[in-house]
Amino acid sequence: MEDSEINFEWFKFIGRKKLAYTDKETMRLTVRQFMRIYNIYKDDYDMELCLLLNRMTYQKAKEESEKSQEWF
């Protein structure tokens, strides 16, 4: 498969398993819309995983962020 080809099976898989869309809903999105939603999903997943692994809450993370901003 060449780099310029789009793997629609990957789009359908991510849409179904990660974003909770049906195949039909996923295929109605443009590539730009899909990637925008997928990037938001990845950012949210990373944040939640980080909080879980560090045993932190959103409030504690906010306080830590404010402390580091005061440093500058």
Side-chain angles (χ1 to χ4, degrees):
M1 182 163 61
E2 294 180 21
D3 290 339
S4 62
E5 292 181 12
I6 296 175
N7 184 350
F8 290 103
E9 294 303 315
W10 178 83
F11 281 93
K12 290 195 297 189
F13 173 78
I14 296 298
R16 191 178 330 112
K17 297 294 183 181
K18 303 294 183 187
L19 305 176
Y21 287 143
T22 64
D23 288 347
K24 190 173 186 178
E25 290 170 327
T26 301
M27 298 312 292
R28 286 183 175 172
L29 298 171
T30 64
V31 174
R32 180 174 285 161
Q33 288 171 323
F34 179 89
M35 292 309 296
R36 193 176 311 136
I37 294 167
Y38 183 57
N39 285 328
I40 291 169
Y41 163 80
K42 290 190 306 183
D43 291 344
D44 181 63
Y45 179 83
D46 290 346
M47 178 66 173
E48 298 220 351
L49 185 59
C50 184
L51 291 174
L52 179 67
L53 294 175
N54 291 307
R55 298 178 184 210
M56 295 178 75
T57 63
Y58 281 102
Q59 182 62 36
K60 182 72 174 168
K62 181 181 176 187
E63 291 169 4
E64 294 285 329
S65 175
E66 288 172 352
K67 284 181 189 177
S68 66
Q69 288 177 0
E70 288 175 6
W71 171 254
F72 293 110

